[in-house]
Amino acid sequence: MFLRKSGTWVLIFLVISPTIFCKSMSAPDPRWAAKKRRMSQKVRKMFYHAYDNYMTYAFPHDELKPLTKTHTDSLVELGNLKLERLPQEYNGSALTLIESLSSLVIMGNNTEFERAVLWLSDYLTFDVDARINLFECNIRVLGGLVSAHILATDSTNRLVQGNYKNQLLILADDLGRRFLPAFDTPTGMPYAWINLKYGVMDNETTETSTSGCGSLILEMGALSRLTGDPRFESAALRALRKLWSMRSSLNLLGTTLDVETGEWLEYSSGIGAGVDSFYEYLIKAHILFGKDEFWRMFQSAYLGVQKYFRHGPWYHEADMRTGQATYWQLTSLQAFWPGLQVLVGDITAANSSHREFFSVWERFGVLPERCPASCPSEVIPLQYTDNPWFLEVGESIVDSLNLYTKVEGGFASIRDVTTMQLEDHQHSFFLAETCKYLFLLFDDSFLVDGNYIFTTEGHPLPVLSTWHERLPEAYIPSNWTFVKSEQAAKRMSAMSMQVCPATTLKYGHGIEQQVQSACHITDIRDDHRCLVDEDCGVDAITCRRRSCSMAGYCGLWLSI
């Protein structure tokens, strides 16, 4: 989900990455209710330990340095490592405060939310001579502002009446306009870096990542829907379409490319750094905006990943042109994938991957940024329905973070998981994502009144019928849509018509329609002959991996 990389074993705080939260589905269970209440309070204390220390020692600068109790203006420093030409009176962009807005709402602190909104309304400005990374600023700042604006206006009791007059949307609109010059390239794909005050710098690098130009549609699309200005969504959509046109015949994309020539610079790719949020945003854009185009892109891309990147329960990297494996490693930025697989109904694969990541976490106490092929341990199958295993995993993660990363001044990163050496940096996404997702695991009351997708930085955006071309009557995690009439059936989106495993939908008057599986992978040969298991695909009905029999045919075989 992130472009940032700072070392071989640096801890990335994102471990649990929900892909979508719909209306709260959790039923009260007395066996776990007490533990959930206790753990939600524990996560709440974690959040406020990080938040209060930021407000005390770093605000209004971007991020906290918890070991020295100082600050870093990381949003700008990321594009100016030598700290040259920084505005003399620049005091940061309150990045961590912006990232914390939706978390404050989800945890029920409307008083602090209002205080933060009013401060940003009065003091935040983007008219600064600062070179920033477009992708990071989009997912962190623009996404945070757009999400908070929606949260500020969708409730009558979050803010004192009359205090909020769309100030956050005005700020988001201003920031979005400053993004637009980055898209003025021959390909329509944006430069990775842009100066907020002066636009694209002279001799700016033309290299960017797949995520950097393919993961802008949620925030910029939402901004267009809210402001009525189509330029933001149009720019992001043009970039995404151009990127998709550059895929290989295997429906794979590389990692880095040139925005001016439209040529690939790095052909090796996977589902981790530099590519991850591209896959995530295709399926989420389909859900948020209802465009079948996004589903068609996602389905083709997903099948390509499953065929060429997957190796048992984990995923390696491969050459986009040949599908041949290049790098055999598990990376922390792949952690979103199991949640995405749950979203499309590929439960069997998600079970294995979730267990895989947690087995690595248990081995080291935290999740390393990279782990070689020999790192994961044996994977045990897991069923998702009301499984308390996730509560146990969440509790283990909370305990690990408190044990290894909590310091007097906040929560530090870990430089080396073998020594647990700390790094003096509390990332803003610890408050935007990690604490939020852990809290929702134990207390999902925020979700009772609506359906949301969460951006790659953890900012909630509501799934609104007014944003949809076609909206299912009801959308729930297993992708099942109940159809009351033939008229309602016509309004179903592609998401509900392409599920995994395959199923039969029943309409009025006894009409049935067989729906193909989204995770189906065909066998290599049309006659289903094979030499090894790798010649076989994924069954369209059960979504189970097919194997090669002794007779040389692909199928699902029972051991006797």
Side-chain angles (χ1 to χ4, degrees), residues 42-337:
K42 200 168 185 178
V43 175
R44 190 189 301 271
K45 290 180 180 179
M46 288 174 58
F47 172 82
Y48 284 112
H49 182 68
Y51 180 83
D52 291 343
N53 274 287
Y54 164 74
M55 295 300 293
T56 299
Y57 299 112
F59 174 78
H61 296 276
D62 289 342
E63 292 178 316
L64 170 69
K65 300 177 75 172
L67 299 180
T68 54
K69 297 181 181 179
T70 54
H71 66 265
T72 170
D73 289 320
S74 51
L75 192 65
V76 172
E77 292 172 7
L78 185 65
N80 188 358
L81 298 180
K82 295 182 180 180
L83 304 183
E84 299 172 341
R85 296 201 317 84
L86 285 179
Q88 291 183 352
E89 298 182 358
Y90 181 68
N91 291 317
S93 300
L95 174 62
T96 298
L97 181 63
I98 295 172
E99 291 263 71
S100 299
L101 292 174
S102 57
S103 296
L104 288 169
V105 171
I106 287 173
M107 294 185 185
N109 193 340
N110 294 332
T111 300
E112 185 66 11
F113 175 69
E114 180 175 33
R115 190 168 79 96
V117 167
L118 294 180
W119 187 93
L120 293 169
S121 302
D122 291 338
Y123 298 107
L124 182 62
T125 178
F126 298 117
D127 189 30
V128 291
D129 180 12
R131 178 176 179 262
I132 55 91
N133 181 273
L134 180 67
F135 170 80
E136 293 287 353
C137 197
N138 175 71
I139 64 173
R140 293 187 181 201
V141 183
L142 184 62
L145 292 173
V146 167
S147 174
H149 163 73
I150 295 172
L151 294 174
T153 54
D154 72 354
S155 173
T156 58
N157 59 8
R158 279 192 188 131
L159 301 175
V160 175
Q161 189 172 4
N163 280 356
Y164 187 68
K165 300 177 181 178
N166 297 330
Q167 297 99 311
L168 297 184
L169 182 59
I170 293 171
L171 284 168
D173 179 70
D174 176 52
L175 182 60
R177 292 171 186 266
R178 296 175 189 275
F179 283 176
L180 292 178
F183 293 84
D184 187 16
T185 65
T187 63
M189 295 184 293
Y191 290 99
W193 303 90
I194 189 167
N195 186 290
L196 289 176
K197 190 178 185 69
Y198 298 114
V200 179
M201 306 288 285
D202 293 336
N203 301 315
E204 184 60 83
T205 177
T206 60
E207 179 179 337
T208 192
S209 69
T210 296
S211 291
C213 57
S215 308
L216 306 167
I217 189 64
L218 293 184
E219 295 84 359
M220 297 188 72
L223 181 60
S224 282
R225 306 302 171 100
L226 293 168
T227 61
D229 187 339
R231 291 180 298 168
F232 311 118
E233 184 174 3
S234 295
L237 185 57
R238 182 190 176 202
L240 178 58
R241 285 170 173 165
K242 176 59 180 178
L243 180 67
W244 181 242
S245 74
M246 294 168 58
R247 69 191 185 281
S248 72
S249 60
L250 307 179
N251 286 325
L252 302 179
L253 295 93
T255 305
T256 57
L257 54 97
D258 189 297
V259 300
E260 292 189 348
T261 66
E263 297 178 351
W264 289 106
L265 303 177
E266 175 57 64
Y267 293 103
S268 179
S269 184
I271 60 170
V275 188
D276 49 351
S277 54
F278 163 75
Y279 296 105
E280 179 187 1
Y281 271 35
L282 287 180
I283 186 62
K284 290 183 178 179
H286 169 69
I287 296 167
L288 190 63
F289 302 125
K291 283 183 177 288
D292 290 341
E293 176 185 11
F294 296 133
W295 170 263
R296 290 191 294 269
M297 290 181 186
F298 172 78
Q299 185 183 35
S300 298
Y302 182 78
L303 296 180
V305 167
Q306 293 297 89
K307 185 171 183 178
Y308 296 105
F309 295 161
R310 184 180 178 185
H311 182 78
W314 65 290
Y315 294 79
H316 57 73
E317 296 183 22
D319 190 303
M320 62 172 284
R321 300 162 296 184
T322 65
Q324 296 298 308
T326 52
Y327 300 105
W328 293 80
Q329 59 182 358
L330 181 149
T331 68
S332 61
L333 294 188
Q334 298 174 349
F336 78 102
W337 193 255

